[in-house]
Amino acid sequence: MTADYRTQAIQDPTAVILDLYRSHASSENFPRFVAEHFSRIFENSTTFNKIPTLSARYPPGSHRDRALVRFRAMVQDTSLSTEMYLSHHADGSCGGWGMYEAEGGSSTSGGNVDYANLRECSVLWATTVPAESDWCSAELDGLRDKGDAPRPSETLSSRQSHKYPHPGFQHLGVQVKVYDREGAEAFKATDIVTFVGILSSEPCGFDHAQVPQEVPTLHVLFSKTHASGVLPRTFPRIARRASSNHTEIPSGDLETPIVHDNAQLRSELIDWIAEEALGGDRQAAEWVLFSCISRVQSRHPPLLPAPLVVSHFPRPPPVPTTSGSPVIPEPALSAVLALLLPLTHTLTLSLEGLNKERYTPESKDEDLHAGVLQLPQGTVLLVSEGGVREGQLLERGVLNVRALQELMDAQTLAYVFPFSQFSFPTDVSCVILAEGRRSAFFKAELNIPLRAPADPVGVAALYKPADQVQLPSPEKLAAYRDLVVGARCGKVSVPERTSEHIQEQFVQARRDDQSVTADDLIRWMTVSKLYALSLHEPTLSVETWQKAKTFDDQRRALLA
């Protein structure tokens, strides 16, 4: 297709649809034909990135009516009622995609509707992606320098903020109408999807007021579903170079990929995490890295990410404030994870928050209210218990603790409806920062005591602001991200030689210590595979197995 046609598709997508309908009106599934047509126009990533972005940075007010936009979003609610539309108008023009017949049109006036022309479109509610890191947003939006991107002049808010998991954060909610019904059936809550469509403003489908509020509405032309974790990376990792302005070039674009020394890079990453967020404790940094790359491997049998407790983590120092409620600073680890991971969220616990907030999605008056834990798959959740003080945990607080424990244990999240509730699969790795020897609320198989300076200066360093975190060079930071994100995407096989060694060692361990069980073997296997992933080794060697088992033995020794 010519560049002029692509430009027309961006400037006037409505005209393109009308032209297509004039020549393909008899198509058996015209919405599918439209989806395939626009998908082909923008199949090239360079062309795709020319489509204007709809986001909190570029809100609906920054786009003209019926503009073509792309909206990367998390599907929040798929339970909205389908909508009927007239696919063929009296004048022979196309209907759908926000094109409605003018008042007084002969096919609808006086109720003279040709029901053979009625079609259904699916209606969803989608929000900007919760937990998405700034660098991830910039990369996916095709921004060469995220500092050049405008920030909204004011916080976006609406009567629909209850449909965003963290309403206090800047966000955007959009009513999404999908005309290709077959494609719409695949969407599930918490899926991350880039919807490309025509932007307009229409009455909210779940607003039962006499005069429903107008909300941003996206009439979808085609969509792209993102895999868990949003960003793909190569495993094993290969080189990527940077241009003079530090623009990252995907490794696949290199003419001659060069294998890096991943062990050295990993060691440098561990040093950086330890120094900037964990008081210099490299051993704790090792286990935090394991949690960052952990994900659901299988549900049958269950091979799920084990939650990690970093115990003896000091509570934050008091912060002077003129407001009545205390200010609880986030740990520096939150900023470090946000620099490394595409999806990460920090949940600072307090009794007030536990007793008031809603952790699970709940349907009220046929409207699904979001929960704090309604997060996209691939998110790393950092839970800080530093804000918890003495007090009473009320019924909602108990339910919230139970919901988070269920997420950790079974990787499922309950959706509550008026007369029932259903649990849906998720994939969220959890790191818990606990002041005591163990978490005050949660049971976790893995526990690593933090060994960091406990003096005021040392404690303050654990909670330093994000702008005080010392950054590596842009090239080094890009390499760290490739290492971590690639490890999340990778798989490790166990060759026969290593398998035989593991079996022999397990049998010997049982002979030496009758308390050793199959659970220990499962944990050793999990840790060894995570260690291999962090080294970008696609096969588990005996040496890597032995090193990983030593990590676990050292961790358990610290708990003795």
Side-chain angles (χ1 to χ4, degrees):
M1 295 183 183
T2 66
D4 288 344
Y5 190 77
R6 295 189 182 97
T7 301
Q8 181 191 10
I10 293 177
Q11 293 179 346
D12 194 353
T14 302
V16 173
I17 295 176
L18 293 175
D19 287 344
L20 286 175
Y21 191 71
R22 279 191 284 270
S23 56
H24 298 86
S26 60
S27 175
E28 183 177 346
N29 188 342
F30 184 67
R32 170 56 61 87
F33 179 80
V34 169
E36 292 174 349
H37 181 79
F38 276 89
S39 182
R40 284 195 300 271
I41 293 176
F42 298 106
E43 62 183 350
N44 180 277
S45 61
T46 302
T47 307
F48 184 83
N49 285 338
K50 292 181 180 178
I51 302 173
T53 300
L54 177 66
S55 64
R57 289 178 181 268
Y58 301 94
S62 65
H63 300 277
R64 59 181 171 80
D65 185 43
R66 297 196 62 77
L68 182 73
V69 298
R70 54 188 167 108
F71 179 45
R72 188 176 60 263
M74 182 190 79
V75 177
Q76 189 272 329
D77 187 358
T78 60
S79 65
L80 278 65
S81 300
T82 57
E83 184 178 284
M84 304 296 296
Y85 71 96
L86 198 58
S87 64
H88 182 86
H89 294 160
D91 61 1
S93 63
C94 177
W97 294 279
M99 295 181 286
Y100 302 105
E101 195 163 34
E103 293 270 345
S106 61
S107 69
T108 56
S109 59
N112 296 323
V113 176
D114 185 350
Y115 293 101
N117 292 328
L118 286 178
R119 300 290 185 272
E120 283 187 333
C121 72
S122 298
V123 184
L124 317 170
W125 188 262
T127 71
T128 42
V129 181
E132 188 175 77
S133 302
D134 286 345
W135 69 271
C136 175
S137 301
E139 182 173 327
L140 290 173
D141 289 342
L143 300 177
R144 290 305 185 187
D145 183 356
K146 68 180 180 181
D148 292 340
R151 303 297 298 187
S153 57
E154 58 185 24
T155 301
L156 298 173
S157 61
S158 69
R159 282 159 51 184
Q160 287 77 36
S161 61
H162 63 277
K163 296 186 77 65
Y164 190 70
H166 316 121
F169 286 63
Q170 195 175 80
H171 66 279
L172 175 65
V174 174
Q175 181 174 244
V176 177
K177 296 189 176 182
V178 185
Y179 296 83
D180 180 7
R181 294 294 309 284
E182 294 179 15
E185 292 174 357
F187 297 138
K188 305 183 295 297
T190 73
D191 280 354
I192 298 180
V193 182
T194 294
F195 297 102
V196 178
I198 299 172
L199 179 64
S200 67
S201 179
E202 296 188 1
C204 180
F206 54 82
D207 189 340
H208 303 300
Q210 189 171 3
V211 181
Q213 183 188 29
E214 295 260 323
V215 295
T217 302
L218 190 63
H219 303 276
V220 176
L221 298 173
F222 71 99
S223 62
K224 293 184 176 183
T225 300
H226 297 264
S228 175
V230 187
L231 282 176
R233 283 294 189 269
T234 302
F235 180 89
R237 191 181 72 90
I238 53 179
R240 64 157 68 199
R241 66 173 182 265
S243 65
S244 57
N245 64 350
H246 305 307
T247 299
E248 296 174 11
I249 301 175
S251 52
D253 294 346
L254 293 177
E255 294 180 0
T256 308
I258 304 170
V259 177
H260 270 237
D261 183 355
N262 292 316
Q264 176 62 30
L265 182 66
R266 181 189 185 280
S267 179
E268 294 173 8
L269 173 60
I270 292 296
D271 286 339
W272 182 65
I273 296 173
E275 290 300 322
E276 295 303 321
L278 297 170
D281 190 343
R282 291 188 89 259
Q283 198 163 352
E286 292 277 3
W287 288 92
V288 168
L289 177 59
F290 290 157
S291 290
C292 287
I293 63 178
S294 183
R295 60 185 174 87
V296 173
Q297 301 287 340
S298 166
R299 294 191 182 273
H300 305 289
L303 296 175
L304 311 176
L308 171 69
V309 171
V310 181
S311 55
H312 299 300
F313 199 96
R315 68 171 55 193
V319 177
T321 178
T322 56
S323 63
S325 56
V327 176
I328 306 171
E330 288 188 345
L333 184 58
S334 173
V336 167
L337 295 185
L339 289 167
L340 294 172
L341 297 165
L343 298 171
T344 180
H345 178 69
T346 297
L347 178 59
T348 301
L349 299 183
S350 67
L351 287 181
E352 180 183 11
L354 283 167
N355 289 331
K356 289 184 178 180
E357 294 176 347
R358 180 177 52 250
Y359 278 25
T360 57
E362 182 176 356
S363 179
K364 297 181 179 181
D365 299 324
E366 300 180 356
D367 178 10
L368 185 67
H369 292 226
V372 170
L373 300 180
Q374 192 179 19
L375 297 167
Q377 296 194 18
T379 299
V380 175
L381 180 63
L382 179 64
V383 181
S384 173
E385 297 182 359
V388 177
R389 301 293 183 267
E390 290 186 5
Q392 185 177 4
L393 194 63
L394 305 179
E395 181 182 6
R396 180 179 286 277
V398 173
L399 292 175
N400 284 336
V401 169
R402 187 179 301 164
L404 184 48
Q405 185 70 65
E406 180 184 349
L407 182 144
M408 295 177 187
D409 292 344
Q411 285 298 320
T412 58
L413 180 65
Y415 284 58
V416 180
F417 297 91
F419 303 105
S420 61
Q421 73 174 38
F422 301 94
S423 291
F424 293 94
T426 187
D427 186 355
V428 177
S429 302
C430 295
V431 178
I432 307 161
L433 307 181
E435 184 182 4
R437 295 184 60 188
R438 58 180 63 87
S439 170
F441 298 102
F442 308 106
K443 294 180 180 178
E445 179 184 0
L446 299 177
N447 186 331
I448 179 71
L450 181 69
R451 296 173 296 168
D455 60 282
V457 175
V459 173
L462 294 173
Y463 290 92
K464 62 185 175 185
D467 58 7
Q468 292 183 16
V469 173
Q470 297 295 314
L471 299 181
S473 68
E475 295 85 0
K476 184 68 71 175
L477 185 56
Y480 288 166
R481 290 168 180 166
D482 286 351
L483 188 81
V484 175
V485 180
R488 288 188 61 88
C489 302
K491 291 185 178 180
V492 174
S493 62
V494 183
E496 184 176 353
R497 173 175 173 268
T498 305
S499 178
E500 291 174 354
H501 176 83
I502 292 171
Q503 293 178 38
E504 292 171 1
Q505 196 168 59
F506 176 64
V507 171
Q508 186 61 47
R510 285 290 303 269
R511 289 173 181 163
D512 297 339
D513 184 356
Q514 292 298 315
S515 66
V516 173
T517 66
D519 291 337
D520 294 297
L521 177 60
I522 293 172
R523 185 180 67 254
W524 294 335
M525 284 297 303
T526 300
V527 173
S528 62
K529 285 187 175 183
L530 289 173
Y531 184 45
L533 285 170
S534 70
L535 290 167
H536 278 232
E537 295 179 353
T539 58
L540 179 62
S541 66
V542 172
E543 293 76 18
T544 299
W545 154 267
Q546 206 63 51
K547 179 72 173 180
K549 187 174 180 302
T550 301
F551 278 144
D552 191 60
D553 292 341
Q554 291 172 344
R555 179 190 64 83
R556 296 181 69 186
L558 292 174
L559 296 171

